[in-house]
């Protein structure tokens, strides 16, 4: 086994995805993933806390992009405009070359209730993080929570559409459309 080689984390993610698709998530162990990537099981655990985290490891970077987008929004931006800035800051994570991987990842998650639960927790955590960023910009609590949850919903609808089989539009084009739908729905509110 190789002790250290550049790209180990990426190799582990690729090996895990292949095994999860071919064997199923439940029938794949961390040792299987390590062996397929040509590293030791101990090396696997240096990169990931468990085999779930292979699928969810990018959450911190995604949340960070959202928070940076919220922070960079114009001083006079409304809470929804701040969230929109966060959405646009996170959009580059979903480049066209990542779509196939994202589709496979989503298929793995959709076939496993425990992973579905983890995905829901991830989205709830993202909403909490975005709401905290909004509160730090002076947005009142209820408004911050509502705007953050709306942003996470826009993100989820955009992502779900982007990974749908046969979908060819870019993430940003889909996100623009979904944001337009939200704006149309809320323009006549009250």
């Amino acid at each position: 086994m190789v002790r250290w080689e550049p790209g180990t984390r990426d190799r582990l993610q690729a090996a895990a995805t292949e095994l999860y698709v071919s064997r199923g998530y439940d029938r794949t162990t961390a040792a299987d993933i390590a062996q397929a990537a040509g590293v030791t099981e101990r090396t696997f655990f240096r990169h990931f806390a468990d085999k779930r985290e292979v699928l969810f490891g990018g959450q911190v970077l995604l949340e960070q992009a959202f928070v940076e987008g919220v922070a960079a929004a114009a001083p006079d931006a409304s809470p929804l405009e701040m969230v929109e800035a966060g959405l646009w800051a996170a959009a580059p994570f979903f480049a066209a070359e990542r779509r196939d991987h994202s589709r496979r990842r989503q298929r793995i998650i959709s076939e496993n209730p425990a992973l579905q639960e983890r995905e829901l927790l991830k989205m709830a955590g993202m909403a909490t993080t975005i709401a905290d960023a909004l509160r730090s910009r002076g947005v009142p609590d209820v408004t911050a929570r509502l705007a953050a949850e709306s942003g996470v919903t826009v993100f989820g609808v955009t992502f779900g559409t982007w990974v749908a089989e046969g979908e060819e539009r870019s993430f940003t084009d889909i996100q623009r459309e979904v944001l337009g739908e939200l704006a149309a729905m809320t323009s006549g509110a009250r």
Side-chain angles (χ1 to χ4, degrees):
M1 299 259 164
V2 177
R3 280 197 133 200
W4 183 86
E5 195 173 303
T8 300
R9 184 178 179 88
D10 291 339
R11 284 197 334 274
L12 285 164
Q13 286 178 314
T17 301
E18 288 299 321
L19 289 169
Y20 294 162
V21 169
S22 64
R23 289 185 185 176
Y25 174 81
D26 290 329
R27 291 186 299 274
T28 302
T29 66
D32 295 333
I33 297 165
Q35 182 178 14
V39 298
T40 65
E41 189 173 0
R42 185 174 180 177
T43 298
F44 173 90
F45 287 112
R46 283 190 187 118
H47 291 275
F48 300 101
D50 58 38
K51 69 179 191 171
R52 267 185 330 184
E53 290 310 305
V54 174
L55 298 169
F56 298 102
Q59 179 177 355
V60 171
L61 295 174
L62 184 62
E63 286 181 2
Q64 182 180 355
F66 266 102
V67 168
E68 288 172 0
V70 168
D76 63 343
S78 71
L80 279 176
E81 289 169 335
M82 290 180 210
V83 167
E84 186 174 340
L87 285 162
W88 289 118
F93 280 85
F94 304 97
E97 60 270 9
R98 294 206 36 93
R99 191 188 315 245
D100 286 339
H101 168 77
S102 294
R103 281 181 174 148
R104 295 174 75 194
R105 176 191 173 276
Q106 197 59 39
R107 191 171 355 146
I108 294 162
I109 291 169
S110 69
E111 292 172 355
N112 186 292
L115 295 176
Q116 291 171 25
E117 181 179 3
R118 175 63 176 92
E119 182 85 337
L120 290 172
L121 289 171
K122 171 186 159 187
M123 299 303 259
M126 189 180 321
T128 298
T129 299
I130 296 168
D132 289 344
L134 291 166
R135 280 190 289 274
S136 75
R137 295 269 325 250
V139 176
D141 182 59
V142 171
T143 304
R145 289 186 352 228
L146 185 57
E149 291 288 347
S150 297
V152 169
T153 298
V154 167
F155 172 77
V157 170
T158 300
F159 182 80
T161 303
W162 184 67
V163 296
E165 289 302 322
E167 180 60 62
E168 298 293 328
R169 293 175 294 163
S170 71
F171 190 89
T172 56
D173 286 346
I174 296 166
Q175 183 167 276
R176 189 172 295 107
E177 180 182 303
V178 174
L179 283 165
E181 288 290 326
L182 178 64
M185 283 177 29
T186 58
S187 67
R190 287 201 187 203

